[in-house]
Amino acid sequence: MKKLLSMSKIYLIFVFAVLYAPIFYLIFYSFNSGGSMNNFESFTLEHYAAVFEDSRLIIILLNTVLVALLSGLIATIIGTLGAIGIISIKDKKMRNTLLSLNNVLIVSPDVVIGASFLILFTMIGVKLGFASVLVSHVAFSVPIVVLMVLPKLLEMNTSLIDAARDLGATKRDVLMRVILPYISPGIFAGFFMALTYSLDDFAVTFFVTGNGFSTLSVEIYSMARAGISLTINAISGLVFAVTVLIVIGYYFINKRSKSIATGGHQ
C-alpha cells in the first residue's frame, strides 16, 4: 500500500513537472537580456518594460480584461438563473434533456463554436469587434457556470425553502436570502472559471474578432508568427501571474464562504 502511494506521488510529480516545465522555461527566459531562448546572458526587466511602454499592447490587455470581467459577470448571472430553472423543472426527462444540451456545448470543439458564431454574425450583419467577442465569450461560459452551480443546488435541502415559505417569505426572498447565499460557493466557482476561460480563449476569439479589436491570446499568436520575441515571454509571464492570483483569490473566497456557512449552521 505504501509502495503504491509513493508511486502515485512520483507519478503526480512527473505529470506536474511536464505541465509546468514549459511555462517556467518561458518565464525564465523573459528575464534574459539576450534576444533568444538558447542562451541566458544576464537578468533584465527590459522585456517587461517594453510591454508597459507599448500603448497598443496595454489597450489589448485592457480589452482582454474587460471582456473577461463582463462575460464572466453576465455568464454567471445567466448560468445561475439557468441552473435554478433546470432544477425547478419537475419533468425529469426534460431536465435531463436540458442538462445534456448544456454538456454538449461544453465538449463541443472551440473551432466549431467559433465558426458557428462567425457565420451567425455575418448572416445578421453584426460587425466583428468588442460586441461579437463579448457575446461569444458569454455563450461558451454559461454552460460552465451551470455546471459549477448545479452541484450546490442538488445538495441543498429543500426543507430550507419550505421553511422560508412557511415563515411568509416571497419567491424573491427565498431566492435572495436562502438559495443564493447557500449556492454562493458554486456561483464564485462559476465566475472564476468563466473569467479564466475568457482570458485564455483563442480559438473562438480568433473567429469573431475584427479589425481594430483584439485580445491578448490573438495578439500573442500574431506576434509569435512574426518570429521569436522575448516580449511574448514577458506577456505570457504576466498572464500566468494574473491567473495564479485569480486562483488564489478564488481559494480564499471559497474558504471564507465555507467557514461562514459552517458558522451559520452552527
Side-chain angles (χ1 to χ4, degrees):
M1 187 66 182
K2 290 182 178 179
K3 187 178 180 180
L4 184 62
L5 288 173
S6 62
M7 288 295 293
S8 63
K9 288 179 181 179
I10 293 171
Y11 175 74
L12 283 174
I13 292 170
F14 173 75
V15 170
F16 280 109
V18 170
L19 290 173
Y20 282 93
I23 298 174
F24 290 127
Y25 178 79
L26 181 145
I27 294 173
F28 175 73
Y29 274 97
S30 69
F31 299 103
N32 183 20
S33 61
S36 69
M37 294 175 63
N38 298 323
N39 183 33
F40 192 90
E41 295 181 3
S42 60
F43 180 86
T44 183
L45 293 174
E46 64 181 18
H47 304 297
Y48 288 90
V51 172
F52 290 104
E53 288 171 1
D54 191 332
S55 58
R56 184 172 178 274
L57 275 179
I58 295 298
I59 292 172
I60 291 172
L61 179 61
L62 292 175
N63 288 341
T64 306
V65 174
L66 182 61
V67 168
L69 287 172
L70 285 176
S71 64
L73 181 61
I74 297 169
T76 301
I77 295 171
I78 298 173
T80 301
L81 295 176
I84 294 171
I86 291 172
I87 289 298
S88 65
I89 295 174
K90 302 298 181 183
D91 188 350
K92 287 187 177 181
K93 189 175 181 181
M94 178 61 71
R95 184 194 298 181
N96 291 333
T97 301
L98 291 174
L99 288 174
S100 298
L101 290 172
N102 183 80
N103 294 336
V104 165
L105 290 174
I106 294 176
V107 299
S108 294
D110 288 345
V111 175
V112 174
I113 296 173
S116 301
F117 273 110
L118 176 61
I119 294 170
L120 174 65
F121 293 140
T122 303
M123 286 176 60
I124 63 178
V126 174
K127 185 179 179 181
L128 298 181
F130 175 79
S132 61
V133 172
L134 179 61
V135 170
S136 302
H137 282 219
V138 170
F140 70 65
S141 296
V142 168
I144 298 168
V145 176
V146 171
L147 209 62
M148 293 291 105
V149 175
L150 272 174
K152 295 302 295 181
L153 285 169
L154 290 172
E155 72 179 36
M156 184 178 181
N157 193 340
T158 55
S159 62
L160 295 173
I161 299 174
D162 295 334
R165 287 173 177 169
D166 290 340
L167 293 171
T170 62
K171 289 184 178 180
R172 184 178 182 276
D173 291 332
V174 171
L175 176 64
M176 300 301 294
R177 298 186 180 184
V178 179
I179 297 176
L180 292 182
Y182 188 89
I183 65 172
S184 59
I187 295 173
F188 281 119
F191 172 75
F192 282 109
M193 285 291 288
L195 185 68
T196 52
Y197 266 74
S198 177
L199 287 172
D200 296 338
D201 181 74
F202 166 75
V204 176
T205 308
F206 182 76
F207 278 95
V208 298
T209 191
N211 294 329
F213 183 85
S214 182
T215 61
L216 209 52
S217 58
V218 176
E219 184 64 21
I220 290 174
Y221 172 76
S222 301
M223 292 172 68
R225 289 186 65 186
I228 296 175
S229 171
L230 296 186
T231 306
I232 299 174
N233 295 43
I235 297 171
S236 303
L238 290 171
V239 172
F240 180 75
V242 170
T243 305
V244 170
L245 289 175
I246 290 172
V247 172
I248 293 172
Y250 163 69
Y251 171 78
F252 282 108
I253 291 173
N254 192 37
K255 187 177 179 181
R256 185 171 178 273
S257 299
K258 286 182 178 179
S259 63
I260 291 172
T262 304
H265 289 305
Q266 292 176 347

